[in-house]
Amino acid sequence: MLKGKTAVVTGGSRGIGKAIALHFAAQGANVAILYAGNTAAAQTAEEELLALGVRAKAYQCDVSDFESCKTICKQITQELGPVDILVNNAGIVRDKLVPLMKEDDFDAVLATNLKGAFNMTKNLYSNFIRKKSGRIINITSVVGLMGNPGQANYAAAKAGLIGFSKSVAKELAGKNVTCNCIAPGFIETDMTANLDEKTRSFYEQNIPLGHMGQAADIANLAAFLGLDAVGYITGEVIRVDGGLCM
Ligand code: NAP
């Protein structure tokens, strides 16, 4: 159970992040969700969280912007209390083969998917040091482990996130703070909704379990990694991919 814990989930208004936030709240955690610009989705998520009887609030914050993260982290700790669990989940894709990939496509994906995790972790670092406990969960991707044509920017960011997480895990181990990665495979969310039939059936044929995953599959593992009792796993990358990347 996560009763009384305070969790921050970036990108918690839709998809995987929303499933994680709802799962945390269902276990009694108070939850702050961060979103980029879709206020309607964030309001809906906030209402669904509040309906579970916990304290919850949606904060608009571009995780790629260091100063915004600094402001929001301060506001969250003032409004919801010290943070026990940080989930760096916000992510975007700008898929193109390298010859067609613009510099901005590369920079934007790195800024959100990798630097966003740094911005949030750095701004909550002293919070975790003071608490002498905590859970940091970073959502990477199997693409960061195996690469994918058309996703050089995304794969670089997700692989970078793994190195970042292992370093943070070592830095904070002495403070009883764990830092782990979840590497989802092919999960049904808005991010994968527009994939063409050919790509979709290629993936489905290559997933040993035979089907795409659900956001809840990721949320189940995030809730497990968030538990106080799960304090001896750190610096780990756990795939939730139906066997795709075995
Ligand atoms: P999604 O459905 O597209 O949702 C993305 C969420 O991130 C939204 O809440 C969005 O907010 C937020 N967001 C995007 N850019 C942001 C920014 N700069 N600052 C703050 N929030 C931002 O994505 P998803 O499929 O749930 O993916 C979640 C994470 O899992 C990502 O890191 C993704 O790379 C990873 N992942 C997904 C899959 C998959 O198959 N879906 C596989 C492997 C890894 P707005 O709604 O306001 O834009």
Side-chain angles (χ1 to χ4, degrees):
M1 287 295 283
L2 300 172
K3 197 164 175 47
K5 300 285 181 193
T6 296
V8 177
V9 183
T10 72
S13 57
R14 291 191 289 119
I16 290 170
K18 181 177 176 181
I20 293 172
L22 285 169
H23 202 70
F24 283 4
Q27 294 200 15
N30 300 314
V31 187
I33 56 172
L34 270 55
Y35 69 101
N38 187 339
T39 303
Q43 275 171 356
T44 304
E46 185 184 277
E47 282 162 21
E48 290 177 33
L49 289 165
L50 289 169
L52 293 168
V54 298
R55 294 169 68 203
K57 187 166 170 182
Y59 298 83
Q60 186 169 17
C61 171
D62 176 358
V63 295
S64 71
D65 185 299
F66 184 82
E67 287 305 319
S68 301
C69 291
K70 191 175 179 180
T71 305
I72 290 296
C73 287
K74 214 178 202 176
Q75 202 180 332
I76 291 170
T77 46
Q78 277 164 2
E79 292 178 352
L80 294 181
V83 174
D84 300 286
I85 307 169
L86 167 64
V87 183
N88 288 307
N89 161 81
I92 57 167
V93 284
R94 293 238 194 135
D95 297 353
K96 286 180 190 86
L97 294 172
V98 171
L100 300 174
M101 190 177 285
K102 300 209 163 55
E103 187 183 1
D104 182 56
D105 295 324
F106 192 86
D107 290 347
V109 169
L110 269 285
T112 297
N113 299 16
L114 178 57
K115 189 171 171 253
F118 165 78
N119 290 342
M120 291 301 294
T121 305
K122 181 169 165 71
N123 282 305
L124 287 171
Y125 204 93
S126 55
N127 160 92
F128 287 118
I129 298 270
R130 274 195 299 273
K131 277 192 74 70
K132 295 193 178 63
S133 67
R135 301 279 177 261
I136 300 172
I137 301 164
N138 294 330
I139 309 299
T140 177
S141 166
V142 291
V143 168
L145 297 170
M146 62 184 191
N148 199 25
Q151 292 199 303
N153 50 359
Y154 185 79
K158 294 300 190 181
L161 188 56
I162 293 171
F164 174 75
S165 304
K166 290 184 179 186
S167 303
V168 170
K170 288 185 175 178
E171 285 187 24
L172 288 174
K175 296 289 178 193
N176 194 28
V177 178
T178 64
C179 180
N180 291 292
C181 284
I182 299 177
F186 191 38
I187 309 298
E188 272 189 64
T189 67
D190 294 346
M191 190 178 268
T192 48
N194 297 323
L195 283 179
D196 58 81
E197 253 333 291
K198 201 172 141 212
T199 313
R200 183 174 289 271
S201 71
F202 170 83
Y203 274 120
E204 281 169 357
Q205 279 161 22
N206 285 284
I207 297 170
L209 284 177
H211 58 87
M212 290 176 73
Q214 301 298 316
D217 294 318
I218 312 303
N220 285 331
L221 178 57
F224 173 75
L225 291 172
L227 291 171
D228 278 345
V230 183
Y232 204 55
I233 300 175
T234 198
E236 191 54 271
V237 182
I238 305 175
R239 293 182 293 107
V240 182
D241 66 350
L244 175 66
C245 187
M246 278 196 264

